[in-house]
Amino acid sequence: MTAPALPVDATRLRDRLAGRVLVPGERGYDDARTVFNAMIDRHPAVIAQCVDAADVAASVAFARSNDLEIAVRGGGHSVAGASLTDGGLVIDLRNMHAVDVDPAARTVRVGGGATWGHVDRACQPHALATTGGRVSSTGVAGLTLGGGSGWLERKFGLACDNLLSVELVTADGRRVTASEDANPELFWALHGGGGNFGVATEFTFRLHPLPAVTFGLLLFAPEAATTVVGRYRDLFEAGAPDDLGGGVLCITGFPEEFVPERLVGGLAVLVVVVYTGPEDEAREAIRPLLDLRPAGAMIAELPYAEIQCALDDPPGYRNYWSAEHLPALPNAAVDLFCARAHDMIVPSPSQHALLPWGGAVARQANGWPTANRAARWCVHPFGVWEHARDDERGIAWAKAACADMVPFAAGGAYLNFTPDEGRERIIAGYGGADSYRRLAAVKRALDPDNIFRLNHNVEPAAVP
C-alpha cells in the first residue's frame, strides 16, 4: 500500500522532529485529533507529537515559517476546543508526561503533556499531593496556567499557587524559565494568564503531606435540593474547616450499591466530600449534612489518586460549560439554583455544580491574574450529553443557569470553566483592566504577533 503523499513542508518537519508527525489520511491522525468535547471536529494540516522541548521549538518555527495557526494540546479538555485548529498545526504534548517526585524537598517536576492522573499516582506512594483538578484526565498545563481549581484548593490553594517554576518555549523558539527569581513578571502572568505566552514544557510544584484523605458521596432525592443546598451553604458560612472541600451537584442518579434504585436514572442531589484528614474528623465536619439522613451514602478513607479518578468525566460526549462566582449565597440564589436543575438534560452525565471557595483560595491570592479569589461560591453548570439533537437545549440550560446567578455574582469568572464568552468576560476573568494591561505587556514582550491566540486570548495591544 502506498503511503499518503506528504506536503514538502510536512516532510521537512518530520525530518526535524524526534516525535511523530501526522497529516490527514495517515493512520492515527483521526485518533490524534479527537478531544474531550465531541462537539469539536477540526482538521489540522499537521499534528506534531512532540517528545521534548527541542521538538516544540522546531514545531513553533515550522508553523511560523508556513503561516500556520498554532494550537497546543495537553489534556485536550478545553470546552471551547482550544486544543485543535482547522488547517493549522497542533503541538501535541501528550508524550511529554514524565513525573519526577523529590519526596525530601517535597517538590515534583511534571512534563507539559502530563495529566493529573500521572501526577497523583506518582505522588501517592510518598503521601504527598498538590491541588490538581477534579478528574484524573485533565491536563496539568491547561488547568494550572488557567489558575487551577480542584478538590484540595481550600486547604492548599489553587494549582498555580503551588507553582515553583515553569519551563516555556516562546514564540521565537527560545527556552526560558519562569520563577520568582527568573523572569518574575512572566511567572506572575503564568498564574492564571493561560497559554498566551508560550508552550509550557515542564512545571515544578510544591507538594504537601497528605497522609489521610476521606471521600464521601451523600445522595438525596431531588425534592430535598433546597434543604440540602441551604444546609451546605450554612455549613461553610459558619466556618467549615479548610480541610473540607467538595461540592453539591445536581446529577443523574447512577447505579451503585449505596444508591437507591428509585434514584437511578433520574434527577438526584449529590454532596461530594473531600476531607484532608481521617474519616472520624470528616464525619464530624459534615454532621449537619448527615443529620439530613441522605437516601444513600458512601464515606471512606481512600488514596487521593483514587479519589481523583472516582468521578472521571466520560469521553466522547458533547460539552458546554460556564460559571459564575458569588460573594454570598442568599436564599433567592439557592432557590434559583435548585429550580434550574430541572431543565438539565436527564439522564446524562451533566452536573449542575455548586463549589465552595474560601480558605486558602482567598488567603493565597497574591495578586495573581485570577478573578474573584475572595468569592465564597462558584456555580458551574457542566453540560454533557450524547446527541447533537440536544445541543440547543444543553447550551441554553447552561447559559440560563449562569444568567440566574448574575444578580448575585461578583462579575468575573474562572476562565477554565468557560467557553469564549467575549472580550469583556476575558478581561474580567483575568482580574480586570489593570491586570489585563499587565498581562498585555508580557504578551507584547514574548508574543507580539499573537501566535498563541487559541485560548482566552490576551491581545498584545492593551485595553485603553
Side-chain angles (χ1 to χ4, degrees):
M1 181 176 177
T2 304
L6 293 177
V8 174
D9 287 338
T11 303
R12 289 203 298 268
L13 179 62
R14 176 169 288 172
D15 291 340
R16 296 184 62 188
L17 257 61
R20 190 179 180 192
V21 175
L22 297 171
V23 298
E26 286 191 322
R27 183 177 181 180
Y29 170 84
D30 283 330
D31 286 342
R33 71 177 185 87
T34 299
V35 293
F36 180 75
N37 185 356
M39 293 177 72
I40 307 301
D41 183 21
R42 296 176 185 160
H43 295 76
V46 185
I47 300 174
Q49 296 184 318
C50 301
V51 299
D52 56 24
D55 275 5
V56 173
S59 299
V60 171
F62 172 81
R64 298 203 70 173
S65 65
N66 289 277
D67 196 26
L68 295 174
E69 183 176 66
I70 294 175
V72 181
R73 175 175 184 153
H77 270 241
S78 163
V79 67
S83 307
L84 284 182
T85 170
D86 266 327
L89 181 142
V90 173
I91 296 176
D92 187 340
L93 302 175
R94 284 176 291 172
N95 290 322
M96 299 170 60
H97 57 70
V99 179
D100 182 15
V101 181
D102 185 337
R106 293 181 180 169
T107 61
V108 60
R109 289 190 298 115
V110 182
T115 65
W116 283 105
H118 292 123
V119 176
D120 299 331
R121 294 196 178 278
C123 295
Q124 185 67 57
H126 309 287
L128 296 170
T130 194
T131 302
R134 292 176 173 84
V135 296
S136 65
S137 57
T138 302
V140 170
L143 184 110
T144 302
L145 296 175
S149 179
W151 294 132
L152 302 182
E153 62 198 7
R154 283 175 44 81
K155 181 68 172 180
F156 301 134
L158 302 182
C160 73
D161 297 334
N162 294 285
L163 266 180
L164 296 175
S165 67
V166 183
E167 303 291 323
L168 203 73
V169 173
T170 61
D172 59 6
R174 289 181 298 125
R175 298 181 223 175
V176 302
T177 299
S179 68
E180 288 186 354
D181 300 319
N183 298 298
E185 191 68 1
L186 172 60
F187 190 56
W188 170 83
L190 296 175
H191 286 71
N196 278 287
F197 312 103
V199 183
T201 58
E202 186 176 278
F203 299 82
T204 301
F205 293 96
R206 179 186 303 108
L207 296 174
H208 305 272
L210 195 61
V213 193
T214 300
F215 183 58
L217 299 175
L218 311 180
L219 200 70
F220 297 85
E223 56 267 23
T226 301
T227 300
V228 172
V229 174
R231 182 71 61 88
Y232 192 83
R233 173 203 58 196
D234 294 345
L235 173 62
F236 280 88
E237 295 194 350
D242 293 353
D243 293 287
L244 181 59
V248 182
L249 315 178
C250 299
I251 61 163
T252 298
F254 47 86
E256 286 289 346
E257 185 176 338
F258 71 92
V259 177
E261 186 175 352
R262 64 186 173 85
L263 294 182
V264 174
L267 186 64
V269 179
L270 180 69
V271 176
V272 179
V273 176
V274 181
Y275 186 89
T276 56
E279 183 180 340
D280 59 341
E281 290 184 11
R283 285 181 175 273
E284 188 58 33
I286 63 171
R287 180 63 53 195
L289 298 170
L290 295 175
D291 288 346
L292 293 176
R293 299 187 181 277
M298 187 287 298
I299 304 173
E301 290 184 31
L302 294 174
Y304 175 62
E306 296 302 318
I307 293 171
Q308 279 290 78
C309 63
L311 299 176
D312 273 3
D313 305 316
Y317 283 83
R318 307 174 76 80
N319 282 247
Y320 188 89
W321 331 323
S322 193
E324 290 291 345
H325 283 84
L326 283 63
L329 192 67
N331 289 336
V334 170
D335 292 343
L336 287 168
F337 175 86
C338 295
R340 187 60 66 181
H342 293 275
D343 295 333
M344 187 173 66
I345 296 174
V346 174
S348 80
S350 295
Q351 303 170 7
H352 189 25
L354 175 68
L355 305 172
W357 270 27
V361 175
R363 289 196 305 274
Q364 297 184 25
N366 295 327
W368 306 132
T370 49
N372 299 327
R373 295 288 293 260
R376 300 295 300 275
W377 301 98
C378 175
V379 171
H380 176 34
F382 185 89
V384 185
W385 56 90
E386 185 175 2
H387 301 292
R389 63 175 180 265
D390 288 325
D391 286 356
E392 183 176 352
R393 178 184 168 198
I395 293 171
W397 165 73
K399 289 183 174 180
C402 285
D404 288 342
M405 297 298 114
V406 167
F408 315 100
Y414 170 58
L415 293 176
N416 276 349
F417 281 170
T418 68
D420 183 358
E421 296 177 334
R423 191 162 182 255
E424 289 186 8
R425 181 80 150 162
I426 289 172
I427 292 172
Y430 286 136
D434 290 343
S435 180
Y436 186 88
R437 289 189 191 97
R438 188 174 170 186
L439 289 170
V442 179
K443 180 76 170 181
R444 283 195 301 274
L446 291 175
D447 183 18
D449 299 320
N450 201 17
I451 70 164
F452 300 117
R453 58 182 177 271
L454 294 184
N455 43 48
H456 290 101
N457 194 226
V458 174
E459 299 174 9
V463 294

